[in-house]
Amino acid sequence: MTSLSLKELRAELRALAEPAVRAQQERVLGRTQDDELLGVRVPVLRRLARSCRGLSLDDVDALLHSRVHEERFAGLLVLAERVRTARGADRKALVDFYLARTDCVDDWDLVDASAHVVLGPWLLEGDLRVLDELAASSRLWDRRIAVLATLALIREGRFEPTFDLVLTLRQDPEPLIHKALGWMLREIGRRDEPLMVAFLSRHVDKLPRVTVRYATERLAPAERARFVKGRQGRQPAPARPGS
């Protein structure tokens, strides 16, 4: 398969943009003033990324530093594909490349598309302390990367890092973190519902309401109601500077 060049990829992204998709993205994404949306559907981005396996890391870096949202998204998908096929020191170098550029991963869709497939594979064989470092960051998106990266561990039956992050970040001021925590608890529940229920039973009154709601979505209605109603209405802490 012929690999698209950086110039060709950028041209394809603009050619495949849809005004209706852009309008929808403008409603749901937490954009910055400098962020340019084209309106390219995610399946299209994934297809294009698979056609860009020949891009250099310099090209990926250029994509990640672009003001065009879909270019950053495509760069992350290309990076994820490289991580998937890399091993050992090569994989570690790609993970370091990602961690040095998390300021470019600056919206929830970019985090959710990259954390578990770029950082996640390294967590399966590497040092988990990076999760603590990201969770302690003043940047919302770094903290969400920490949470979402544990999806790779969850899929391998390793749940403790996620439980630890839930307790570490339960007082986070950002609803997007509360939702991510609940989502990951729900993923644990899909694999080991009794374990997730036992964790909630011990900690439900300390967790944000939205975390409990997300975590219990797949439970039987009566059991879900027990947790939601039993949740005490603690308010999250005030937002930290720089969040």
Side-chain angles (χ1 to χ4, degrees):
M1 184 192 314
T2 302
S3 179
L4 293 178
S5 69
L6 178 60
K7 182 178 180 180
E8 290 169 334
L9 171 62
R10 284 173 160 162
E12 283 287 296
L13 288 172
R14 293 190 178 276
L16 294 168
E18 301 177 54
V21 174
R22 183 175 64 247
Q24 180 185 31
Q25 291 173 330
E26 288 174 344
R27 290 193 297 270
V28 301
L29 294 177
R31 302 168 55 216
T32 65
Q33 187 174 4
D34 294 332
D35 198 20
E36 178 185 354
L37 283 173
L38 300 178
V40 182
R41 298 177 185 274
V42 171
V44 174
L45 288 171
R46 294 189 183 280
R47 175 175 59 80
L48 288 175
R50 288 193 295 270
S51 301
C52 296
R53 294 172 180 170
L55 291 182
S56 68
L57 277 184
D58 286 342
D59 290 336
V60 173
D61 190 50
L63 290 170
L64 294 184
H65 284 91
S66 170
R67 66 184 295 269
V68 178
H69 191 89
E70 285 88 348
E71 289 189 9
R72 299 199 299 282
F73 203 129
L76 290 168
L77 294 177
V78 173
L79 184 60
E81 180 61 25
R82 294 183 65 140
V83 169
R84 185 182 68 82
T85 58
R87 295 294 182 271
D90 291 339
R91 175 175 281 177
K92 177 61 163 59
L94 293 171
V95 169
D96 288 343
F97 178 91
Y98 176 75
L99 291 173
R101 292 161 178 79
T102 58
D103 59 322
C104 302
V105 188
D106 57 357
D107 215 328
W108 61 263
D109 62 328
L110 303 180
V111 173
D112 297 4
S114 66
H116 67 294
V117 288
V118 177
L119 180 55
W122 173 248
L123 296 178
L124 293 171
E125 57 188 62
D127 192 337
L128 298 183
R129 285 179 295 183
V130 65
L131 295 177
D132 295 329
E133 295 168 6
L134 289 166
S137 172
S138 63
R139 294 187 66 252
L140 158 63
W141 305 121
D142 283 352
R143 302 196 302 275
R144 189 168 171 109
I145 286 171
V147 178
L148 266 292
T150 67
L151 181 58
L153 298 170
I154 292 170
R155 288 173 173 171
E156 295 298 320
R158 296 171 59 183
F159 306 141
E160 282 304 317
T162 304
F163 287 145
D164 290 344
L165 282 178
V166 171
L167 297 179
T168 297
L169 293 172
R170 67 183 187 271
Q171 295 188 52
D172 196 279
E174 295 288 348
L176 282 170
I177 299 299
H178 303 169
K179 293 176 182 178
L181 296 174
W183 176 12
M184 292 303 100
L185 287 175
R186 186 173 72 238
E187 288 297 318
I188 291 174
R190 291 179 61 188
R191 293 156 176 84
D192 191 333
E193 185 175 298
L195 184 66
M196 191 273 285
V197 167
F199 177 84
L200 281 183
S201 295
R202 291 194 303 273
H203 302 292
V204 66
D205 63 335
K206 306 184 188 78
L207 301 180
R209 188 181 302 275
V210 70
T211 297
V212 175
R213 289 187 177 278
Y214 270 57
T216 57
E217 282 181 355
R218 295 175 59 87
L219 298 183
E223 187 160 32
R224 186 183 191 213
R226 174 172 69 88
F227 282 117
V228 172
K229 291 177 181 177
R231 164 61 179 78
Q232 296 176 2
R234 181 186 54 77
Q235 295 300 314
R240 294 193 297 265
S243 293

Tab-separated table of all heavy atoms in Angstrom, residues 8 15 24 28 30 44 57 63 79-80 84 91 110 113 141-142 157 164 169-170 173 181 196 208 210 220 222 228 243:
chain	number	residue	atom	x	y	z
A	8	GLU	N	0.026	15.242	1.377
A	8	GLU	CA	-1.161	14.563	0.851
A	8	GLU	C	-2.195	14.333	1.944
A	8	GLU	O	-3.404	14.471	1.701
A	8	GLU	CB	-0.750	13.237	0.216
A	8	GLU	CG	0.032	13.400	-1.076
A	8	GLU	CD	0.667	12.096	-1.541
A	8	GLU	OE1	0.933	11.213	-0.684
A	8	GLU	OE2	0.898	11.963	-2.768
A	15	ALA	N	-10.213	17.828	1.984
A	15	ALA	CA	-11.141	17.373	0.954
A	15	ALA	C	-12.300	16.578	1.547
A	15	ALA	O	-13.410	16.576	0.994
A	15	ALA	CB	-10.397	16.525	-0.078
A	24	GLN	N	-21.312	19.775	14.514
A	24	GLN	CA	-21.504	18.883	15.654
A	24	GLN	C	-20.288	18.925	16.579
A	24	GLN	O	-20.426	18.979	17.814
A	24	GLN	CB	-21.733	17.458	15.172
A	24	GLN	CG	-21.943	16.455	16.306
A	24	GLN	CD	-22.056	15.035	15.790
A	24	GLN	OE1	-21.462	14.683	14.771
A	24	GLN	NE2	-22.823	14.212	16.491
A	28	VAL	N	-19.659	19.815	20.881
A	28	VAL	CA	-19.289	18.826	21.903
A	28	VAL	C	-17.834	18.899	22.364
A	28	VAL	O	-17.498	18.341	23.412
A	28	VAL	CB	-19.587	17.386	21.413
A	28	VAL	CG1	-21.050	17.232	21.092
A	28	VAL	CG2	-18.727	17.009	20.220
A	30	GLY	N	-14.346	20.763	23.708
A	30	GLY	CA	-13.933	21.921	24.501
A	30	GLY	C	-12.794	22.648	23.837
A	30	GLY	O	-11.654	22.603	24.292
A	44	VAL	N	-13.090	8.092	9.221
A	44	VAL	CA	-12.285	8.571	8.098
A	44	VAL	C	-10.867	8.871	8.570
A	44	VAL	O	-9.877	8.537	7.898
A	44	VAL	CB	-12.932	9.819	7.469
A	44	VAL	CG1	-12.026	10.414	6.384
A	44	VAL	CG2	-14.296	9.475	6.880
A	57	LEU	N	8.731	10.530	12.328
A	57	LEU	CA	8.362	11.150	13.594
A	57	LEU	C	8.369	12.669	13.493
A	57	LEU	O	7.602	13.342	14.196
A	57	LEU	CB	9.296	10.691	14.714
A	57	LEU	CG	8.968	9.359	15.383
A	57	LEU	CD1	9.920	9.097	16.533
A	57	LEU	CD2	7.517	9.298	15.866
A	63	LEU	N	2.241	17.258	12.820
A	63	LEU	CA	0.796	17.077	12.970
A	63	LEU	C	0.349	17.404	14.387
A	63	LEU	O	-0.666	18.085	14.588
A	63	LEU	CB	0.408	15.643	12.612
A	63	LEU	CG	0.506	15.247	11.140
A	63	LEU	CD1	0.337	13.746	10.983
A	63	LEU	CD2	-0.537	15.991	10.300
A	79	LEU	N	0.847	7.630	15.467
A	79	LEU	CA	1.741	7.261	16.569
A	79	LEU	C	1.279	5.968	17.228
A	79	LEU	O	2.094	5.091	17.553
A	79	LEU	CB	1.787	8.398	17.583
A	79	LEU	CG	2.748	8.229	18.757
A	79	LEU	CD1	4.186	8.089	18.275
A	79	LEU	CD2	2.617	9.411	19.713
A	80	ALA	N	-0.012	5.823	17.431
A	80	ALA	CA	-0.547	4.604	18.036
A	80	ALA	C	-0.229	3.382	17.196
A	80	ALA	O	0.104	2.308	17.730
A	80	ALA	CB	-2.057	4.734	18.234
A	84	ARG	N	2.016	0.133	18.351
A	84	ARG	CA	1.466	-1.223	18.281
A	84	ARG	C	2.486	-2.210	17.728
A	84	ARG	O	2.552	-3.377	18.176
A	84	ARG	CB	0.213	-1.232	17.405
A	84	ARG	CG	-0.517	-2.567	17.362
A	84	ARG	CD	-1.719	-2.509	16.438
A	84	ARG	NE	-1.327	-2.368	15.043
A	84	ARG	CZ	-0.954	-3.390	14.272
A	84	ARG	NH1	-0.901	-4.623	14.767
A	84	ARG	NH2	-0.631	-3.182	13.013
A	91	ARG	N	9.643	1.023	21.444
A	91	ARG	CA	8.336	1.403	22.005
A	91	ARG	C	8.504	2.461	23.086
A	91	ARG	O	7.743	3.420	23.157
A	91	ARG	CB	7.621	0.172	22.553
A	91	ARG	CG	6.311	0.482	23.253
A	91	ARG	CD	5.581	-0.771	23.671
A	91	ARG	NE	4.879	-1.374	22.543
A	91	ARG	CZ	4.199	-2.519	22.616
A	91	ARG	NH1	4.167	-3.200	23.748
A	91	ARG	NH2	3.566	-3.000	21.557
A	110	LEU	N	-9.080	13.571	21.804
A	110	LEU	CA	-7.680	13.247	21.531
A	110	LEU	C	-7.121	12.343	22.628
A	110	LEU	O	-6.374	11.398	22.345
A	110	LEU	CB	-6.857	14.529	21.417
A	110	LEU	CG	-7.323	15.539	20.367
A	110	LEU	CD1	-6.408	16.761	20.358
A	110	LEU	CD2	-7.377	14.902	18.978
A	113	ALA	N	-8.701	8.780	22.283
A	113	ALA	CA	-8.237	8.028	21.115
A	113	ALA	C	-6.799	7.567	21.250
A	113	ALA	O	-6.363	6.705	20.474
A	113	ALA	CB	-8.379	8.885	19.860
A	141	TRP	N	-5.949	17.453	30.972
A	141	TRP	CA	-5.808	16.395	29.973
A	141	TRP	C	-4.742	15.388	30.382
A	141	TRP	O	-4.858	14.199	30.059
A	141	TRP	CB	-5.523	17.004	28.595
A	141	TRP	CG	-6.578	17.996	28.225
A	141	TRP	CD1	-6.402	19.318	27.940
A	141	TRP	CD2	-7.997	17.764	28.139
A	141	TRP	NE1	-7.603	19.920	27.680
A	141	TRP	CE2	-8.605	18.998	27.792
A	141	TRP	CE3	-8.811	16.649	28.328
A	141	TRP	CZ2	-9.981	19.136	27.636
A	141	TRP	CZ3	-10.191	16.783	28.167
A	141	TRP	CH2	-10.750	18.019	27.824
A	142	ASP	N	-3.689	15.817	31.090
A	142	ASP	CA	-2.725	14.857	31.623
A	142	ASP	C	-3.412	13.908	32.596
A	142	ASP	O	-3.161	12.692	32.586
A	142	ASP	CB	-1.590	15.578	32.346
A	142	ASP	CG	-0.580	16.203	31.403
A	142	ASP	OD1	-0.655	15.958	30.188
A	142	ASP	OD2	0.287	16.955	31.886
A	157	GLY	N	-6.984	-7.637	32.748
A	157	GLY	CA	-7.371	-8.117	34.064
A	157	GLY	C	-6.600	-7.503	35.211
A	157	GLY	O	-6.623	-8.042	36.327
A	164	ASP	N	-6.716	2.591	42.287
A	164	ASP	CA	-5.865	3.573	42.960
A	164	ASP	C	-6.121	4.979	42.427
A	164	ASP	O	-6.189	5.950	43.200
A	164	ASP	CB	-4.394	3.212	42.780
A	164	ASP	CG	-3.981	1.971	43.568
A	164	ASP	OD1	-4.730	1.568	44.474
A	164	ASP	OD2	-2.913	1.413	43.259
A	169	LEU	N	-7.991	10.579	42.544
A	169	LEU	CA	-8.601	11.692	41.812
A	169	LEU	C	-10.064	11.926	42.173
A	169	LEU	O	-10.746	12.706	41.511
A	169	LEU	CB	-8.484	11.433	40.298
A	169	LEU	CG	-7.062	11.468	39.736
A	169	LEU	CD1	-7.043	11.000	38.284
A	169	LEU	CD2	-6.470	12.873	39.841
A	170	ARG	N	-10.546	11.298	43.227
A	170	ARG	CA	-11.972	11.427	43.536
A	170	ARG	C	-12.365	12.852	43.904
A	170	ARG	O	-13.538	13.216	43.792
A	170	ARG	CB	-12.368	10.459	44.647
A	170	ARG	CG	-11.772	10.748	46.018
A	170	ARG	CD	-12.176	9.690	47.021
A	170	ARG	NE	-11.770	10.015	48.373
A	170	ARG	CZ	-10.607	9.686	48.906
A	170	ARG	NH1	-9.721	9.021	48.171
A	170	ARG	NH2	-10.308	10.016	50.152
A	173	PRO	N	-11.424	18.577	40.621
A	173	PRO	CA	-12.476	19.567	40.381
A	173	PRO	C	-13.176	19.432	39.040
A	173	PRO	O	-14.192	20.085	38.821
A	173	PRO	CB	-11.712	20.900	40.445
A	173	PRO	CG	-10.327	20.553	40.026
A	173	PRO	CD	-10.073	19.188	40.599
A	181	LEU	N	-13.346	8.415	35.430
A	181	LEU	CA	-13.225	7.449	36.521
A	181	LEU	C	-14.395	6.462	36.508
A	181	LEU	O	-14.215	5.248	36.653
A	181	LEU	CB	-13.160	8.170	37.864
A	181	LEU	CG	-11.953	9.075	38.105
A	181	LEU	CD1	-12.122	9.832	39.418
A	181	LEU	CD2	-10.653	8.283	38.110
A	196	MET	N	-15.990	-4.925	41.214
A	196	MET	CA	-16.323	-3.510	41.086
A	196	MET	C	-17.389	-3.110	42.095
A	196	MET	O	-17.311	-2.045	42.721
A	196	MET	CB	-16.787	-3.202	39.663
A	196	MET	CG	-16.897	-1.704	39.347
A	196	MET	SD	-18.495	-0.986	39.801
A	196	MET	CE	-19.543	-1.630	38.487
A	208	PRO	N	-17.517	11.175	43.521
A	208	PRO	CA	-18.434	12.126	42.891
A	208	PRO	C	-19.678	11.410	42.369
A	208	PRO	O	-19.623	10.257	41.918
A	208	PRO	CB	-17.608	12.704	41.729
A	208	PRO	CG	-16.183	12.459	42.110
A	208	PRO	CD	-16.182	11.178	42.891
A	210	VAL	N	-21.364	11.773	39.636
A	210	VAL	CA	-21.327	11.357	38.237
A	210	VAL	C	-20.457	10.114	38.062
A	210	VAL	O	-20.735	9.267	37.205
A	210	VAL	CB	-20.864	12.509	37.320
A	210	VAL	CG1	-19.387	12.824	37.511
A	210	VAL	CG2	-21.147	12.190	35.857
A	220	ALA	N	-27.877	-4.116	37.501
A	220	ALA	CA	-29.329	-4.279	37.570
A	220	ALA	C	-29.944	-3.016	38.162
A	220	ALA	O	-29.339	-2.382	39.042
A	220	ALA	CB	-29.674	-5.495	38.424
A	222	ALA	N	-32.170	-2.230	40.369
A	222	ALA	CA	-32.306	-2.109	41.825
A	222	ALA	C	-30.949	-1.874	42.481
A	222	ALA	O	-30.828	-1.062	43.407
A	222	ALA	CB	-32.959	-3.362	42.396
A	228	VAL	N	-26.716	4.790	43.720
A	228	VAL	CA	-26.961	6.201	43.387
A	228	VAL	C	-27.658	6.905	44.548
A	228	VAL	O	-27.293	8.028	44.921
A	228	VAL	CB	-27.780	6.310	42.091
A	228	VAL	CG1	-28.205	7.755	41.851
A	228	VAL	CG2	-26.956	5.792	40.906
A	243	SER	N	-5.833	24.191	35.952
A	243	SER	CA	-6.598	23.028	35.516
A	243	SER	C	-7.343	23.339	34.239
A	243	SER	O	-7.761	24.460	34.031
A	243	SER	CB	-7.597	22.626	36.597
A	243	SER	OG	-6.910	22.164	37.730
